[in-house]
Amino acid sequence: MSRRVRAVVLVEGVVQGVGFRPFVYGLATGLGLDGLVGNDERGVFIEVEGAPSTVEEFLTTLRKSPPPLALVERISSGLVPATGEAGFVISGSATGGPRRALVSPDVATCADCLREMGDPADRRYGYAFTNCTNCGPRFTIVHGVPYDRPNTTMAAFAMCADCAREYHDPADRRFHAQPVCCPACGPRLRLLDSGGEEIAGDPVEGTARLLGRGGVLAVKGLGGYHLAALAARADAVTALRERKHREDKPFAVMVPDLDAARRLCDVDAAEEALLTSRAPPDRAAAQARRRGGGAAGGAR
Ligand SMILES: [Zn+2]
Ligand SMILES: [Zn+2]
């Protein structure tokens, strides 16, 4: 048997919730390496075993082209005796050490997810909580590290068989995406009146209708509430200001896209870059509003 080495690697920085484990899995299995990858309180830990040159190639790729959403601060590695174990696994997260891992910010709904949301044949058609390994909520849903589903507000939603298949399939875009869900198993939209009674009909359309009539709505998302009123209606904004006791502080104005923002104000290059970055105001919410036919102003 040819000589084998086993490298133990620790990756620190914003490396959880950014698809790092699936990335390492794909890289290692593509190179035919054995070992494991997991999250812990410090970041991502990896053990890879195989021919010295292949292990070296793995480490070089890891340093040169980590997953696009990751912000790697430090990669440390060392060699340990080879164990001869075959196969590569994503191991359970290790806990118990001091918490140093950084969690990714929320990431704007990606083009693939938006396409699914707009496709009547897709099982996530119109589903407001659509996400994948490349996008979706992170920081707003975690209450602890390692970043794993039990440490998020998604813990209460057991995955359905379809979502579980995606979650466990290394070839799937949702491989180890912690907040993965769908209309069958994930959170659902409901519209309630001020007495807590459910209002029948499509909740998004109903919300747009109420906003159009000058209503003030509390929109609950995965991470918390924001209050919304139609910015173009002075009576609605006045009601919101009175209730919030926020007489003169500015509110955030929500728009569906860059063109709409340009119609309201000057947008320079730096602002455009922020608005269209991976972590802008929620594009999925904008998509849902567009579907409902109403553009709403909002306030957090
Ligand atoms: Zn996505
Ligand atoms: Zn599901």
Side-chain angles (χ1 to χ4, degrees):
M1 189 173 147
S2 57
R3 192 167 81 87
R4 281 164 68 93
V5 294
R6 189 174 186 92
V8 175
V9 187
L10 176 64
V11 189
E12 292 169 279
V14 180
V15 293
Q16 297 189 4
V18 293
F20 218 102
R21 286 174 294 180
F23 167 82
V24 168
Y25 180 94
L27 180 60
T29 53
L31 290 169
L33 292 169
D34 304 306
L36 54 89
V37 59
N39 280 345
D40 68 13
E41 289 84 355
R42 301 164 301 170
V44 169
F45 62 88
I46 306 165
E47 295 187 20
V48 280
E49 180 170 328
S53 62
T54 316
V55 168
E56 197 52 49
E57 187 182 344
F58 172 89
L59 292 173
T60 304
T61 308
L62 191 68
R63 286 174 202 281
K64 278 196 180 150
S65 38
L69 298 182
L71 272 175
V72 175
E73 288 185 348
R74 192 167 38 245
I75 297 180
S76 39
S77 65
L79 292 178
V80 294
T83 66
E85 273 169 44
F88 195 92
V89 293
I90 295 185
S91 81
S93 294
T95 54
R99 295 178 179 194
R100 299 209 317 250
L102 305 173
V103 175
S104 162
D106 297 349
V107 179
T109 310
C110 72
D112 287 332
C113 285
L114 285 177
R115 186 179 32 70
E116 290 170 344
M117 289 170 71
D119 177 2
D122 193 278
R123 68 192 190 89
R124 290 188 175 85
Y125 176 55
Y127 184 55
F129 302 95
T130 303
N131 68 82
C132 73
T133 312
N134 303 319
C135 77
R138 300 288 186 271
F139 187 77
T140 52
I141 61 166
V142 6
H143 29 240
V145 290
Y147 173 69
D148 284 318
R149 196 173 180 101
N151 278 333
T152 74
T153 56
M154 292 298 290
F157 299 92
M159 281 183 262
C160 69
D162 285 336
C163 287
R165 186 164 15 78
E166 293 168 339
Y167 181 90
H168 292 292
D169 177 2
D172 194 278
R173 197 172 96 246
R174 295 192 166 89
F175 182 47
H176 273 248
Q178 302 307 323
V180 66
C181 61
C182 75
C185 66
R188 289 182 206 183
L189 295 175
R190 283 190 307 159
L191 179 59
L192 307 178
D193 66 18
S194 52
E197 292 297 317
E198 187 158 354
I199 299 174
D202 182 303
V204 176
E205 283 169 17
T207 299
R209 195 172 58 239
L210 289 172
L211 287 170
R213 285 189 205 147
V216 175
L217 281 87
V219 182
K220 186 182 187 189
L222 286 167
Y225 283 93
H226 69 261
L227 300 174
L230 192 56
R233 278 192 69 136
D235 57 340
V237 176
T238 302
L240 177 58
R241 287 199 179 285
E242 281 170 1
R243 289 181 206 172
K244 278 286 287 176
H245 301 293
R246 197 163 154 178
E247 281 72 29
D248 45 21
K249 252 170 98 181
F251 286 133
V253 175
M254 298 194 290
V255 291
D257 52 33
L258 211 48
D259 286 343
R262 285 216 168 88
R263 285 197 292 276
L264 295 173
C265 52
D266 294 327
V267 180
D268 68 19
E271 289 152 354
E272 177 176 338
L274 278 175
L275 286 170
T276 54
S277 72
R278 289 181 191 277
D282 193 342
R283 283 212 313 238
Q287 176 96 346
R289 276 196 303 281
R290 212 175 300 151
R291 218 182 114 237
R300 245 171 218 281

